[in-house]
């Protein structure tokens, strides 16, 4: 009897404990349901208005920066370096001496040629004086003249050979890194130093053949490079190739840019915008107001619902180019409509919102 009483007491105790637990969980579940059934507070947003701007149409392309003149200076004749007259990075003028090769043998050969030419000249003068007196024949005169002319030609040849022992700057430009050393023997065609004319400078790029009617010489271009991301360089189209590449169906375009500060260097990768001499009206919004998606870009517009509350509406748009952090909207949005300026990921269609303040709108604009 005593064991049965204890068993009943345990059962009652367990019932009370489990009942309390289940009762608390039921109350907690009810509270959660009540909380979820309450309307969510409106999201705080900043807004801006879609505006109409006049944008000059442009065609985007990529290309490379090239020097107007740029070569590796090399020697035409072999020899040992006698002196180096430049430092890496120097700015030089056309004709400045870069290096001199040992020219002792060539100088001796030139003296020999000049002595031979002097002797031939004296012989020619004697024959010329005797010819009117008929003391020499016409053939002797012709032979003396030919010998004199040949001697002068040999002198010119020796002088030209000697001049090649002095390597000069072929044009105005900036030198690169020196690639030779004092006393080094240079076989013919050894690279000595790179020289580039940096101002003005070229940008070469290609466009699809379909853009040919929209590009002409003198059209403005704007160039940006990764080395100077915050600066745009202005120039104009200076040449258009006369043929279209039959393999890629593209045409090569060359633009010329001012480069007084030397920020553009040959070989840089460049992004080019080729403008056209007219303006188009486009609807624009801040770039942050657009959500770029694989299945279509969209914005959130702000509207009033039937209860007079502000809600957001998801609107699919077609976008164009981006300039100065503003994106062109080609379709799906009208000028003057109010859109959410940023923070689109935390919004959903139909959600109630509250505009932060009007100053936020002005800042976005």
């Amino acid at each position: 009897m005593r064991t049965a009483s204890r068993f009943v007491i345990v059962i009652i105790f367990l019932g009370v404990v489990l009942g309390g637990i289940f009762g608390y969980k039921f109350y907690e579940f009810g509270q959660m349901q009540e909380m979820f059934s309450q309307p969510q507070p409106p999201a705080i947003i900043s807004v801006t208005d879609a505006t109409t701007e006049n944008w000059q149409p442009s065609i985007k392309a990529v290309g490379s920066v090239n020097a107007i003149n740029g070569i590796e200076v090399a020697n035409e004749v072999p020899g040992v370096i006698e002196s180096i007259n430049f430092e890496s990075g120097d700015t030089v003028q056309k004709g400045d001496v870069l290096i001199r090769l040992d020219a002792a043998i060539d100088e001796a050969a030139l003296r020999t040629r000049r002595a031979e030419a002097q002797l031939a000249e004296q012989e020619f003068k004697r024959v010329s004086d005797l010819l009117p007196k008929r003391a020499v024949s016409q053939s002797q005169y012709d032979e003396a003249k030919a010998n004199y002319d040949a001697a002068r030609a040999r002198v010119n040849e020796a002088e030209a050979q000697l001049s090649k022992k002095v390597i000069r700057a072929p044009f105005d430009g900036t030198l690169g890194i020196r690639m030779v050393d004092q006393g080094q023997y240079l076989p013919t065609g050894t690279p000595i130093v790179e020289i580039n004319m940096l101002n003005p400078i070229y940008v070469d790029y290609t466009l699809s053949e379909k853009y040919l009617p929209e590009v002409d010489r003198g059209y403005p271009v704007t160039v940006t490079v990764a080395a100077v991301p915050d600066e745009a360089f202005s120039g104009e189209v200076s040449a258009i190739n006369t043929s279209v590449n039959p393999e890629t169906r593209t045409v090569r375009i060359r633009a010329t840019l001012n480069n007084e500060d030397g920020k553009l260097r040959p070989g840089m990768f460049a992004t080019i915008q080729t403008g056209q001499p007219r303006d188009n009206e486009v609807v624009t919004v801040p770039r942050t107001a657009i959500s770029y998606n694989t299945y279509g870009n969209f914005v959130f517009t702000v509207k009033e619902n039937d209860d007079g509350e502000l809600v957001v509406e998801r609107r699919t748009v077609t976008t164009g180019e981006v300039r100065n952090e503003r994106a062109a909207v080609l379709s799906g949005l009208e000028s003057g409509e109010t859109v959410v300026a940023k923070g689109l990921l935390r919004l959903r269609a139909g959600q109630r919102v509250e505009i932060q303040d009007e100053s936020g709108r002005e800042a976005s604009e």
Side-chain angles (χ1 to χ4, degrees), residues 247-357:
E247 296 180 358
T248 60
R249 305 302 177 189
T250 57
V251 62
R252 186 178 177 186
I253 310 291
R254 169 167 287 175
T256 303
L257 286 74
N258 183 32
N259 190 36
E260 289 183 357
D261 52 10
K263 292 181 179 179
L264 296 177
R265 296 298 180 94
M268 282 184 171
F269 179 82
T271 302
I272 305 102
Q273 296 276 3
T274 305
Q276 296 176 352
R278 69 175 191 276
D279 288 340
N280 283 349
E281 285 192 350
V282 292
V283 177
T284 69
V285 295
R287 189 174 186 176
T288 55
I290 299 176
S291 176
Y292 294 92
N293 194 289
T294 307
Y295 303 103
N297 305 330
F298 64 87
V299 298
F300 280 111
T301 59
V302 180
K303 304 287 184 182
E304 279 193 9
N305 61 13
D306 296 336
D307 298 328
E309 299 173 321
L310 292 179
V311 296
V312 289
E313 175 186 289
R314 176 169 166 159
R315 184 86 61 80
T316 301
V317 294
T318 303
T319 58
E321 62 178 304
V322 177
R323 297 185 188 179
N324 300 322
E325 296 303 317
R326 291 191 70 85
V329 180
L330 306 181
S331 64
L333 192 67
E334 298 294 332
S335 178
E337 290 194 87
T338 301
V339 298
V340 179
K342 55 187 176 180
L344 310 184
L345 294 179
R346 56 191 177 87
L347 299 178
R348 67 178 188 278
Q351 183 176 353
R352 293 190 306 124
V353 293
E354 182 179 323
I355 297 176
Q356 188 173 19
D357 52 42

Side-chain angles (χ1 to χ4, degrees), residues 53-271:
E53 297 183 21
N54 288 323
W55 280 13
Q56 185 182 59
S58 63
I59 305 168
K60 187 175 181 179
V62 294
S64 297
V65 178
N66 292 310
I68 289 181
N69 288 311
I71 63 168
E72 282 187 343
V73 179
N75 56 311
E76 293 185 57
V77 295
V80 175
I81 296 178
E82 183 178 84
S83 65
I84 298 176
N85 299 75
F86 71 92
E87 294 294 337
S88 300
D90 281 353
T91 298
V92 295
Q93 304 294 318
K94 180 180 180 179
D96 287 352
V97 176
L98 301 180
I99 67 170
R100 295 180 184 272
L101 302 179
D102 180 38
I105 296 176
D106 299 275
E107 290 172 351
L110 177 59
R111 288 193 294 269
T112 300
R113 297 304 183 192
R114 284 175 175 169
E116 292 174 350
Q118 185 177 7
L119 179 61
E121 181 182 10
Q122 292 172 351
E123 179 65 21
F124 176 62
K125 286 182 178 180
R126 280 196 299 270
V127 173
S128 298
D129 292 340
L130 294 174
L131 182 62
K133 302 176 183 178
R134 297 186 180 276
V136 295
S137 65
Q138 182 66 40
S139 62
Q140 289 176 311
Y141 172 83
D142 293 340
E143 182 179 356
K145 185 177 186 304
N147 290 336
Y148 175 50
D149 290 341
R152 286 195 306 175
R154 286 192 291 271
V155 170
N156 293 337
E157 180 184 5
E159 288 175 343
Q161 186 73 11
L162 180 61
S163 69
K164 293 184 183 298
K165 295 290 185 175
V166 179
I167 290 87
R168 301 176 182 272
F171 48 80
D172 299 349
T174 302
L175 301 178
I177 296 175
R178 175 166 59 87
M179 294 182 278
V180 294
D181 297 313
Q182 182 78 30
Q184 180 179 344
Y185 173 77
L186 302 184
T188 301
T190 302
I192 296 169
V193 67
E194 186 181 83
I195 179 172
N196 285 292
M197 184 183 290
L198 299 179
N199 185 42
I201 203 163
Y202 289 147
V203 172
D204 292 337
Y205 58 103
T206 58
L207 292 177
S208 172
E209 61 180 349
K210 68 180 181 181
Y211 292 120
L212 263 178
E214 302 176 28
V215 180
D216 202 354
R217 292 182 61 183
Y219 278 22
V221 298
T222 302
V223 175
T224 56
V225 295
V228 195
D230 299 328
E231 186 171 351
F233 301 89
S234 300
E236 63 179 30
V237 175
S238 55
I240 301 174
N241 208 13
T242 54
S243 62
V244 174
N245 188 318
E247 296 180 358
T248 60
R249 305 302 177 189
T250 57
V251 62
R252 186 178 177 186
I253 310 291
R254 169 167 287 175
T256 303
L257 286 74
N258 183 32
N259 190 36
E260 289 183 357
D261 52 10
K263 292 181 179 179
L264 296 177
R265 296 298 180 94
M268 282 184 171
F269 179 82
T271 302

